Amino acid sequence: MSLKGKHIILGICGGIAAYKCASLARLLIKAGAEVQVIMTPAAKEFITPLTMSTLTGKPVISEFFTANTGQWNSHVDLGLWADAMLIAPATASTIGKMANGVADNMLVTTYLSAKSQVFIAPSMDLDMMRHPSTVRNIELLKSYGNIIIEPAEGELASHLIGKGRMEEPENILKVLDYYFTPKDLQGQHFLVTAGPTFEKIDPVRFIGNYSSGKMGYALANEAAARGAEVTIVSGPVDIKGVNPGVKIVKIESARQMLEQCEKIFPAVDCAIMCAAVADYAPVVQHETKIKREKDEIPVIHLMKNPDIAATLGKAKRAGQLLVGFALETDNEDVNAVDKLHRKNLDMIVLNSLKDAGAGFGTDTNKVTIFTSTGRQSQFALKSKTEVAADIVDAIVSLAHES
Ligand code: C5P
């Protein structure tokens, strides 16, 4: 996690979305960041300083000095301490003050002193959000180099439906994580296959599998966070939101996946074959729904699907890296290394179905990586996001080896 050890100022304003700051602070702390909360006076009406100081392990700052001790809270020191400042929720009033330098509270004063990147997650009613003054103030903040984490559409506290809901804490964390990830893949192009393939039987039926696409999308997001331009050729999955720099090409069948991969592969530096491609497809795809006959059981004749990884392995040119996956249940290492050579891969990532928490549908994975140069590295059970970082690290080291 790139947020490890990072100093984050979390500036909370007086909006109903302030209740989400408890989860936001927890997520930041879990990711290894140190969090200093600064609240506007109005924010304290929505969430208590006690909640925030307990979660972050640091007293909340709200005033220019602490009344009973007279201790001065230095906005200059705080500004220097921060690796990033995050204002969430950012209300119309604070946005206006920040845009125009109205330093009448600790939060805005610290904002004006901060040398680090500032992220702003607005939250307000839809009419306030689209008022020309808010629009102008947000444009001003963007022109100062601040990053706006756009609010989502949905039901607002007023029960009106529209744009103004503060982005969910998980997504805010992703924006910060992306910002802090070192960009060591700048200028590189990646192709990732992900998800299952659906092989059509008739308009309502298909042959498919349980692949969720989570591992492939995590790899694509990791490579993009590190500066690569990434294309995912994706089977049908239910995943929303990818990092900037990720383009998704949606397909259904193995043949469509192959067609797209053959187009994209010549221009990439690295291709990661993470899709669970169906081994067989029906020979005939019926145009109309196959009827259920009373006494007859229909026979579906199957044909072999193309092996996309092996096809790219044959087309591979010097300097390109091709990475495959092996999902094995027995004789795992031998089968994985055999696949590595048979498909002309440079690296294979083995996950064994024997390991609890590894494989399809889960949020975690446990992998062993084998390279064509004879290296073998085993990793512990981790989240798919962390596994993606390990795999991309291994790709970067292999690229330096060859
Ligand atoms: O042979 P097996 O299906 O076990 O190989 C797994 C690896 O090959 C994975 O990287 C998978 O994405 C890729 N593959 C493929 N096309 C197929 C079958 C597998 O690209 N038809």
Side-chain angles (χ1 to χ4, degrees), residues 273-275 277 306-309 324-325 339 343:
M273 305 282 98
C274 197
V277 183
D307 189 319
I308 301 162
F325 273 72
K339 242 167 241 180
K343 301 190 188 210

Side-chain angles (χ1 to χ4, degrees), residues 193 254 257 272-279 305-311 323-328 339 342-343 345 348-349:
T193 65
M257 185 174 269
I272 309 176
M273 305 282 98
C274 197
V277 183
D279 292 314
N305 266 335
D307 189 319
I308 301 162
T311 310
V323 180
F325 273 72
L327 183 68
E328 304 291 334
K339 242 167 241 180
R342 200 157 29 86
K343 301 190 188 210
L345 307 174
I348 195 152
V349 182

Side-chain angles (χ1 to χ4, degrees), residues 195-198 206-212 236 275-279 360:
T197 63
F198 283 4
F206 61 87
I207 297 173
N209 59 63
Y210 292 121
S211 169
S212 62
V277 183
D279 292 314
F360 276 13

